[in-house]
Amino acid sequence: MKKPISYILFCVAGILIFLVYCAPVRGAEGPDGTGVKPSARPSVILVSDFSLDAGAGEKADKGLHGPLQVRKRMREMVDRPEESPQDKAKRITSTLADSIVAELIAKGVKGARIARGVEPSSGAWLLEGEFLEYGEGDRLKRAVIGFGSGAASMEVRERLSEVMDGGLRPIYDSTVGGSKNRMPGAVVTKNPYVAGAKYVMTKNAPDREVKKLGTGIADKILEYMKAQGF
């Protein structure tokens, strides 16, 4: 017996309602656009030092020779004490981590630094990141601090994970959402305001600029928490 049109439409509507109510619930989308919602407000946000490589690089400018090169190097040494690439990389990453933690605490969220290799406690959120720079072929790679090494500026990638008994659950990744080509090795645009390239700083940036960067990263995390209802 042929079913009436009204009966068929009623069945279709019922199926659609069932699918809507039984579908997995997605949380409010964060900056990464994944829609993954954390299970709870973090007991503490742990900040790990962002990855930044150090290399010897080239100590001399290729375009300068003889007395002119020596005078330039002497001016640089007078302007600022000589700092090894290793010490400089450590200073940048340490200053950045301290500023992120300080801003979180100032805004009423518990924050603390965590050393690499230390097991984070369950219920915490873990913030990790790395500095990137453009290499050959306009590709992103891990940034290197050194005398004349690589590009003059660096971009910052951040990744926030919820620490659970089963391990880390990524909830925020600044390289996801606008372009899948934000990972190191992928061709990207040099526009610092496209998705995933929210923070850019020069390798010779003073500490105040590094702290400003840390404040911006912390504020973005706080904005994300607010969007999740925490």
Side-chain angles (χ1 to χ4, degrees):
M1 180 177 178
K2 190 174 181 180
K3 301 292 185 181
I5 298 297
S6 59
Y7 177 81
I8 296 175
L9 292 176
F10 176 80
C11 292
V12 171
I15 293 173
L16 291 176
I17 293 173
F18 174 81
L19 292 175
V20 169
Y21 279 94
C22 292
V25 177
R26 290 170 57 87
E29 290 194 353
D32 60 345
T34 62
V36 177
K37 184 176 178 63
S39 60
R41 179 184 173 90
S43 57
V44 59
I45 296 181
L46 302 173
V47 181
S48 176
D49 284 359
F50 285 24
S51 298
L52 178 59
D53 292 340
E58 301 174 2
K59 293 187 177 182
D61 294 308
K62 291 183 178 180
L64 299 176
H65 303 279
L68 183 60
Q69 181 189 73
V70 173
R71 287 198 298 270
K72 181 178 184 299
R73 292 292 297 162
M74 288 182 66
R75 286 198 304 271
E76 290 177 348
M77 294 178 67
V78 171
D79 292 339
R80 61 181 184 276
E82 195 69 16
E83 185 179 32
S84 71
Q86 291 76 16
D87 289 342
K88 185 175 183 180
K90 184 177 180 180
R91 174 176 57 80
I92 291 175
T93 56
S94 182
T95 300
L96 180 64
D98 282 341
S99 61
I100 294 173
V101 170
E103 180 68 8
L104 291 173
I105 294 175
K107 295 296 177 62
V109 175
K110 186 177 180 181
R113 291 182 60 176
I114 184 172
R116 292 183 178 276
V118 175
E119 189 74 19
S121 57
S122 180
W125 287 3
L126 176 64
L127 177 66
E128 303 171 286
E130 60 184 337
F131 288 89
L132 307 172
E133 67 179 340
Y134 291 97
E136 295 182 3
D138 203 22
R139 295 174 180 271
L140 278 178
K141 63 177 184 176
R142 180 75 63 78
V144 178
I145 292 293
F147 300 103
S149 296
S153 62
M154 305 181 289
E155 293 186 6
V156 182
R157 172 197 177 187
E158 324 93 68
R159 181 175 57 257
L160 190 63
S161 302
E162 184 177 18
V163 184
M164 309 183 76
D165 292 335
L168 299 179
R169 177 173 177 259
I171 55 177
Y172 171 117
D173 193 326
S174 66
T175 65
V176 180
S179 171
K180 294 181 179 179
N181 292 331
R182 298 305 305 171
M183 298 298 291
V187 178
V188 294
T189 174
K190 288 188 177 181
N191 180 359
Y193 299 103
V194 297
K198 300 179 179 65
Y199 306 105
V200 179
M201 71 171 227
T202 63
K203 292 182 178 179
N204 290 322
D207 284 353
R208 66 176 180 274
E209 292 298 327
V210 180
K211 293 177 181 178
K212 183 178 179 180
L213 172 63
T215 298
I217 292 175
D219 287 343
K220 184 60 66 174
I221 294 175
L222 294 168
E223 179 183 324
Y224 171 71
M225 291 180 64
K226 183 177 180 181
Q228 306 304 314
F230 299 138

